[in-house]
Amino acid sequence: MPSVVRVERTWEQAWHEALYGEGGFYRRPEGPAGHFATSAQGGAAELLAGALLELARRESLTTIVDVACGRGELLEALAEQADPSIRLVGTDVVDRPADLAQRVEWVRSPGGRHLPDLGSPTGALVLAHEWLDVVPCPVAEVDDDGTLREVHVGPSGAERLGPPLGDADLEWADAWWPAPREPGDRVEVGRTRDAAFAGLVEGVHSGLVVAVDYGHTRDDRPPAGSLVGYVDGAVCAPVPDGGCDLTAHVAMDSLRPDRLLTQREALRELGLDGARPPLDLARSDPAGYLAALARASQASALTSGSPGGFLWALRRVG
Ligand SMILES: C[S@@+](CC[C@H](N)C(=O)[O-])C[C@H]1O[C@@H](n2cnc3c(N)ncnc32)[C@H](O)[C@@H]1O
């Protein structure tokens, strides 16, 4: 008898394979920056790097680890601004990019919820910028009888309801994504993201772990879920074939952070508010005025609209 080929899997399995399997989306040479812009790339990276250095200074932290750092775009900006005494480390699922600044250390990671040994750094500011939204999680949907079932998916993105959600996932859903739930409503079970964040915290000897992501809290979960695909700068249907990014917003409160604040609040605390430079400067120092204006407009882009609403989850270690 021919063996049966199982093409339909849970979203968690299919998602992991599509992003981190052999030939997975994030193993492509162009990296995430080839498909979408984040606050950790381009001109924004320069400002974010400055804010992180200010945070490290205030907390007396001397190592900065960028987890899920793409191809090291933010680390390049950090390398330009940071005092040579600051140690810089990056990790992502590919080998060290050839043109990365010499001073940046690199650790290759398996991907998804699994992290490499980061050497238990002491006095470290550990940033995970847009990591947890690409950590695959189970997706569940309420059936016509009101039962929460795991959603299975085939390679074309076609979905089918599978068995009722298992105990641990159901427990998470009841605790963090509460009813009422109508037939067709979805739950993106954040248990895998919680475990990934906890694993990151465990891998640090002392310092501050900061996860920054698109997120929600118990009061504003998206009833229909938030799983989408991204490719070439545009949203697309979530198809787990390795041809697009797959991302779902993160339940940031279930990470149990010490502090949870918006990016707007976090960056304002660190001195970035997007305020325009005084007009007097235009007369006394036109070039300085233009540079300050460009900086203010970049800061405003980071602290308003959708980036301003990103959530920063902070956990102190040691
Ligand atoms: C949305 S991109 C964000 C990249 C970068 N942090 C930024 O904000 O521009 C997600 C990145 O997470 C990386 N990633 C996913 N799981 C990882 C893991 N366990 N360890 C290291 N990197 C991981 C992916 O390879 C990808 O580069």
Side-chain angles (χ1 to χ4, degrees):
M1 256 179 68
S3 62
V4 178
V5 179
R6 258 189 81 214
V7 290
E8 206 184 78
R9 290 169 293 173
T10 66
W11 256 116
E12 185 186 349
Q13 294 163 335
W15 187 343
H16 185 88
E17 192 57 29
L19 297 192
Y20 311 112
E22 208 178 311
F25 180 78
Y26 277 127
R27 302 206 184 274
R28 293 183 182 189
E30 70 271 21
H35 294 275
F36 46 82
T38 73
S39 308
Q41 306 161 0
E46 205 180 301
L47 287 196
L48 185 59
L52 291 170
L53 286 169
E54 174 61 15
L55 180 58
R57 189 191 63 75
R58 290 184 192 180
E59 299 280 335
S60 306
L61 304 172
T62 51
T63 293
I64 300 182
V65 183
D66 187 1
V67 172
C69 65
R71 299 299 175 267
E73 294 84 357
L74 179 62
L75 287 158
E76 289 286 357
L78 283 163
E80 278 186 18
Q81 295 178 46
D83 181 277
S85 64
I86 302 279
R87 188 179 160 221
L88 299 173
V89 184
T91 177
D92 208 291
V93 302
V94 292
D95 286 335
R96 177 191 180 86
D99 51 357
L100 189 63
Q102 281 278 317
R103 65 179 284 192
V104 177
E105 298 166 42
W106 186 267
V107 188
R108 186 174 165 142
S109 173
R113 66 190 278 189
H114 308 289
L115 286 168
D117 181 358
L118 293 171
S120 199
T122 299
L125 172 56
V126 180
L127 175 75
H129 190 271
E130 293 201 31
W131 170 44
L132 293 173
D133 67 288
V134 295
V135 167
C137 68
V139 177
E141 186 173 312
V142 181
D143 72 8
D144 290 342
D145 299 327
T147 302
L148 205 46
R149 293 181 175 274
E150 183 127 15
V151 180
H152 286 195
V153 62
S156 68
E159 295 180 338
R160 186 181 67 82
L161 293 194
L165 206 54
D167 288 347
D169 287 339
L170 196 56
E171 207 172 290
W172 186 95
D174 288 341
W176 292 104
W177 198 301
R181 303 186 195 117
E182 303 294 329
D185 280 0
R186 288 195 162 200
V187 173
E188 287 153 356
V189 181
R191 205 166 56 86
T192 52
R193 279 92 181 268
D194 295 354
F197 186 70
L200 181 56
V201 168
E202 270 165 34
V204 176
H205 185 260
S206 65
L208 185 65
V209 178
V210 183
V212 179
D213 234 304
Y214 300 93
H216 41 68
T217 57
R218 201 196 301 254
D219 300 333
D220 68 344
R221 306 280 185 228
S226 59
L227 177 64
V228 289
Y230 263 100
V231 72
D232 297 332
V235 175
C236 63
V239 177
D241 63 357
C244 64
D245 184 20
L246 296 167
T247 161
H249 294 195
V250 180
M252 298 293 279
D253 46 350
S254 78
L255 304 175
R256 298 177 188 276
D258 297 329
R259 274 190 89 196
L260 186 59
L261 62 173
T262 63
Q263 173 150 297
R264 186 174 309 111
E265 294 162 336
L267 291 182
R268 281 187 182 158
E269 276 187 18
L270 294 170
L272 274 189
D273 60 6
R276 292 169 72 94
L279 265 176
D280 284 353
L281 188 64
R283 282 184 285 276
S284 60
D285 176 7
Y289 176 77
L290 285 179
L293 198 59
R295 196 180 139 80
S297 107
Q298 194 67 258
S300 162
L302 283 181
T303 51
S304 57
S306 142
F310 269 30
L311 292 174
W312 285 44
L314 275 58
R315 179 88 74 83
R316 223 170 263 286
V317 189

